Amino acid sequence: MPKQKQSSTFSSFRKVALLFAAMVVFFEIIVGLFVDWLPLQLATASITTFLLQATGLEVVTSGIHMILPNARWEVIADCTAIGAQVIFISFVLAFPSSKKAKLLATGIGVPFIFAVNIVRLVALGWLTYLSPKLADYCHDFVWQMGFLFMVVGMWLAWIEWVVKREKNPAVSA
């Protein structure tokens, strides 16, 4: 690759990376200061409880607290997958593409991340019942890594299937 092309590619990558980092910090501050988590925590606890009960596990919910056969959970803000959503949205907004492509990505990506998070919690509920030590490992490591790879994969898939197919991608706004 010619030196001019390499420099231009690196400069573009650097701009996207810096914009991404700035957006993550900005959104984390906004979310941390101004978002009332309780409705999302309640929804997460209720949906997870419903699905665990539907699959045969005895679970009782009291607000954001879930009582499983051998554990008690508190659905805190981090249990709602908002961190993964902030990272995904920041990836999408930082990358040069049209507003339509960005809306498509966030409109599909955010609910998808929420749904995968519910699947995560249901799986952890069953793992907590069947193998508490394995559940702790999966909670602390496996699902964290899984979400990281999922979010990056979603972003790359969006670039490949949506952004690259646009006739005239707009400069990131």
Side-chain angles (χ1 to χ4, degrees), residues 76-118:
I76 61 172
D78 288 343
C79 297
T80 65
I82 193 68
Q85 292 170 343
V86 162
I87 290 170
F88 179 71
I89 291 167
S90 297
F91 271 145
V92 168
L93 294 179
F95 197 82
S97 66
S98 70
K99 289 179 183 177
K100 181 179 176 182
K102 291 177 191 297
L103 283 171
L104 180 66
T106 56
I108 293 172
V110 169
F112 181 76
I113 292 168
F114 181 80
V116 171
N117 186 56
I118 296 296

Side-chain angles (χ1 to χ4, degrees), residues 6-18 94 96:
Q6 286 177 331
S7 176
S8 174
T9 301
F10 180 74
S11 178
S12 295
F13 174 77
R14 186 175 54 212
K15 287 178 187 176
V16 169
L18 289 172

Side-chain angles (χ1 to χ4, degrees), residues 13 16-17 19-21 23-24 27 84-97 102 105-106 147-156 158-159 163 172:
F13 174 77
V16 169
L19 186 56
F20 163 74
M23 287 184 172
V24 169
F27 287 132
Q85 292 170 343
V86 162
I87 290 170
F88 179 71
I89 291 167
S90 297
F91 271 145
V92 168
L93 294 179
F95 197 82
S97 66
K102 291 177 191 297
T106 56
F147 261 80
L148 173 67
F149 287 120
M150 180 189 72
V151 167
V152 171
M154 289 170 56
W155 179 60
L156 294 173
W158 167 74
I159 291 169
V163 176
S172 181

